[in-house]
Each structure stands twice: as C-alpha cells, then as structure tokens.
Amino acid sequence: MLSQKTIDIVKSTAPILETHGVAITTYFYKTMFEAHPELLNIFNHANQSQGRQQTALANTVYAAAKHIDQLEVLLPAVKQIAHKHRSLAIKPEHYPIVGEYLLKAIKGVLGDGATDEVIAAWGEAYGVIAQVFIDVEKEMYDAAEQQPNGWKDFKEFYIDKKVEESSVITSFYLKAKDGSPAPAYLPGQYITIRTAIPGEEFLVNRQYSLSQAPGSNAFRISVKKEADHDPKGKVSNFLHDGLNEGDTIEVSAPAGDFYLEKGSRPVALIGGGVGVTPMMAMLGTIAAEEPSRKTVFIQAARNKEAHAFGSEAASLVSQLTDGKVFTAYEEKKNDSDVCDVTGYISKDFLNEVIDSNSICYVCGPVPFMRAVVQHLTALGFDAQDVKYEFFGPAMALQA
C-alpha cells in the first residue's frame, strides 16, 4: 500500500507529466538502450523513430500518476500491455531496469523540479505498478504454458508455405518443428516471431496477427512488406526476401485482448490495409461456428493490386446466411477495377451498410482507424461496441 503522502506527491506530478511526458520517455528510451542494447530489438524501430512508442509510454505514465489512488482504473490498459509483454517474453527481472531509467529520465528532464521527495515517491509508486504487471503477466505465462499444446516463451516453428496474397502482403504458414498441432486461440489474437537477421547483433521480435480461423495444425500470419517509409520494416522485409519455405523461426503462444466475441448480435468487421488480417480470422470463425450471424465485412486497400484475400473473403461470406462484403480502394488504377467505394470510407457509407445494433471491430493504419472510429461514434455507436486493435503502441483515436 502506498502512503497518502506518496499518492499526493505522485498525483501532483500529473500536470507536469502531461506536458513533458514525451520528452521524459524519449530520454528514457535513449539512455536505457545505450546501457542495455540487448533490449533494443524487442521494440519496433519504426515505432521508435516515429515517436509512437514514446507517446504511448508517456500516456501510460501520465495515466498512472493521475489514477495512482485508483489503480483498478488502469487494469484494462495493464492487461492490454501485459499481453504484449507476455508475447515478447518480458520478465520480472526487466522491471528494475525500466524503473531505474524511468526515474533517471524524470530527473534528467525536470531537473530541479524533480526533487528527492518526488523521485522517492515515484520510485515507490513504480514498484507497486511494476508488481501489478508482474502478477498479471505471471497468470498469462502460466495459462499459455498449461493450455493444450502450449509452451513457455518461444518455440521453434518452420515455414511450411509462403503465399503471395497481394502486391505487398505475403502469408506465412507456420508449423511446429516438434510436429505438435498449433494451440487454440481467439480470432483476432497475435503471435510474436523471433528471428536472427544478418547484421543484427541480437534476435529481433515482431508481433503479427493470426490471419485465419483457429483449428488448423498451422498458424498463418500475413505480413505487409513495409518499404514505403524510412526506416523500412526490417523484419517484414527480411520475412519477404530473406526467409523461405523450410526455414525456422521462433514463435510465442498467441496473445491479445482484441478478439471476436461470440453472440447473436450483428457484427461489422472493418479492416484497412494489412489491418484486414485479424478480420480474416474473425470472418473464418463466423463462417465455421456462427454462419447465421449477420455480418458485414468491409475492406479498404490502396488499390486492386494491394487488395489481399479478396476471393477468400468472398468465399467465406458466401457461407453465411446474412453476410455482405464491401471493398474500398483509395484509388482505381483502371476503370475495370471494381469496388464499392473509391476514396475514403465515409460516415454515410457506414450508416448505410452497418446494422445499428452491430458490434464493430476495426483495425488498420492509425489515420484509418481514427476516421472510422470517429464516424461510428458520430453515428451513435457506444464505445463498448467499437473495438479496435493497434499494430504497435496504442494511441488516442478520438479528437
């Protein structure tokens, strides 16, 4: 239990953290990685360079300060982060390292404003918060290991098949080297892959959604080759160009709190770009287990060449008694390209095709998700009925 004095001091820093949070977390990552370079490749370098990781951590630290006397308010966010930590094999021994460099960052950025009393209070509060994460993650580690065909941390899989789905997306079918079947998972969850990349000193980790319904002996991940921006996707490019059928990678057990909930209510699955991957797992599950459930599948792609899973999605929707599929292309390269929306998905379009009683699942690039979530909110959908998944650190979607 934290003393009231500690609670008061930590809460008093919330306005400062709201203003200087990103500066603190940027300082934190820089100094921690300099001292512990072995931790660098746990994180996505693109998210680091774009500031997403720093912003997400700053938001978490600010929320912790604001709600230090009501930590239960943070539990949903804790569980979401803990899923990612378990999938990356973050362990209790990592938390003292994070705590040390977080306190140094607070002191480094705030200077005289970070008095000994403030640092001591934050040190005590961090210990309590870290223990919450450690306890939640232990339950997740135990569950992953104890489930049928489960395991702890990472396990060797080989690439059974590589299938090109579009001009930018390739699917990888992964099978366990020991011959055991893939464990059950919830449609929408992800796995972490860990592999060595030539020129990299340490193994590199990345998380990818499972893109087919559970029940197969293999996992399927479908990876976009990130080559449009600098830094380019180090792992995605290596998967596309450096690994072949028969090659071995390490895989974590499935994780994640974004998944299809069973029930009788209508469902809208809305995926943009490679964000369609968890939607494919959900759609496949509905076709296999709930074919009478009213379902709308909406997929946005840059153009026809980048449109993955078109035939597969249409086939799955055809198995439903009340299913519809819609496609949006940002641009049409040829007049013969057929789609339902040219340009961006609008609020009016969503209002026209989605049942107002639907549970909506959204995944894609942040600008896409922000627009879709704001449209759905404007249409009157409750926040609890609009569920979304970030590929990478969570960011605010509402204006």
Side-chain angles (χ1 to χ4, degrees):
M1 288 287 292
L2 294 172
S3 69
Q4 188 60 49
K5 180 180 178 182
T6 296
I7 289 171
D8 291 342
I9 292 172
V10 170
K11 284 181 76 71
S12 74
T13 65
I16 301 171
L17 293 171
E18 186 177 20
T19 302
H20 299 287
V22 174
I24 290 170
T25 54
T26 300
Y27 187 110
F28 158 75
Y29 281 117
K30 180 178 184 295
T31 54
M32 184 178 71
F33 290 149
E34 287 174 350
H36 295 275
E38 73 278 6
L39 299 179
L40 180 60
N41 283 342
I42 292 177
F43 296 89
N44 186 304
H45 293 192
N47 289 332
Q48 286 285 330
S49 67
Q50 295 164 11
R52 289 186 61 191
Q53 194 81 48
Q54 296 90 329
T55 300
L57 179 58
N59 291 340
T60 301
V61 173
Y62 167 66
K66 188 176 179 181
H67 300 290
I68 192 65
D69 55 343
Q70 298 174 292
L71 289 179
E72 65 276 6
V73 173
L74 303 177
L75 196 56
V78 168
K79 287 184 175 179
Q80 183 182 59
I81 296 168
H83 272 287
K84 293 184 180 294
H85 284 181
R86 199 280 294 157
S87 182
L88 291 164
I90 301 295
K91 295 298 178 63
E93 55 265 30
H94 291 123
Y95 281 92
I97 298 172
V98 172
E100 176 187 352
Y101 288 92
L102 182 61
L103 294 181
K104 286 181 177 179
I106 292 173
K107 183 67 175 176
V109 172
L110 299 186
D112 292 342
T115 63
D116 291 344
E117 191 175 48
V118 166
I119 295 298
W122 258 107
E124 185 181 349
Y126 175 80
V128 170
I129 296 167
Q131 193 59 51
V132 171
F133 275 97
I134 290 168
D135 292 344
V136 170
E137 287 161 17
K138 183 181 186 308
E139 293 180 4
M140 292 180 177
Y141 278 111
D142 291 344
E145 185 175 13
Q146 294 166 11
Q147 68 177 322
N149 301 310
W151 65 91
K152 183 178 181 180
D153 297 345
F154 287 88
K155 178 177 176 177
E156 286 193 329
F157 278 64
Y158 69 93
I159 300 172
D160 183 50
K161 286 191 301 181
K162 281 179 71 173
V163 178
E164 189 175 290
E165 305 288 1
S166 76
S167 62
V168 292
I169 295 174
T170 293
S171 287
F172 298 79
Y173 291 77
L174 310 175
K175 289 188 175 181
K177 287 195 72 173
D178 64 9
S180 61
Y185 55 89
L186 298 170
Q189 290 190 306
Y190 55 82
I191 57 174
T192 296
I193 66 147
R194 186 167 71 178
T195 186
I197 295 181
E200 291 293 314
E201 182 179 359
F202 302 104
L203 295 174
V204 179
N205 304 273
R206 288 297 180 272
Q207 295 169 329
Y208 294 106
S209 292
L210 294 158
S211 62
Q212 67 179 2
S216 167
N217 286 333
F219 289 141
R220 184 179 78 175
I221 59 172
S222 303
V223 180
K224 179 187 176 187
K225 186 176 182 178
E226 298 289 354
D228 293 344
H229 308 286
D230 286 323
K232 294 180 172 60
K234 183 179 298 182
V235 179
S236 69
N237 279 267
F238 180 67
L239 284 171
H240 276 252
D241 301 331
L243 290 179
N244 299 301
E245 293 177 357
D247 288 342
T248 298
I249 58 175
E250 294 180 291
V251 174
S252 73
D257 62 350
F258 176 75
Y259 54 84
L260 177 72
E261 297 177 5
K262 292 187 176 182
S264 58
R265 289 179 59 188
V267 172
L269 308 176
I270 311 169
V274 77
V276 73
T277 50
M279 305 305 165
M280 291 302 298
M282 295 182 188
L283 181 61
T285 300
I286 293 170
E289 300 178 8
E290 301 178 302
S292 62
R293 191 172 188 181
K294 186 175 183 180
T295 302
V296 172
F297 184 86
I298 303 171
Q299 181 177 0
R302 182 176 299 174
N303 49 49
K304 185 177 180 180
E305 288 74 18
H307 181 187
F309 306 114
S311 297
E312 183 178 339
S315 176
L316 290 170
V317 168
S318 73
Q319 299 171 37
L320 309 181
T321 57
D322 190 358
K324 294 181 180 179
V325 59
F326 299 96
T327 303
Y329 291 154
E330 185 176 333
E331 60 177 358
K332 291 174 68 172
K333 290 191 172 182
N334 300 293
D335 292 338
S336 59
D337 294 348
V338 177
C339 62
D340 301 285
V341 174
T342 302
Y344 298 119
I345 293 174
S346 68
K347 182 179 70 172
D348 290 342
F349 172 75
L350 294 176
N351 188 46
E352 180 182 343
V353 302
I354 298 177
D355 188 300
S356 61
N357 189 40
S358 293
I359 301 176
C360 302
Y361 297 86
V362 186
C363 187
V366 172
F368 169 85
M369 289 201 296
R370 180 177 290 114
V372 170
V373 169
Q374 290 180 0
H375 289 336
L376 293 171
T377 300
L379 290 172
F381 285 88
D382 290 339
Q384 65 183 7
D385 292 331
V386 179
K387 305 176 187 298
Y388 45 87
E389 172 79 325
F390 287 92
F391 289 165
M395 307 287 285
L397 292 185
Q398 295 289 1

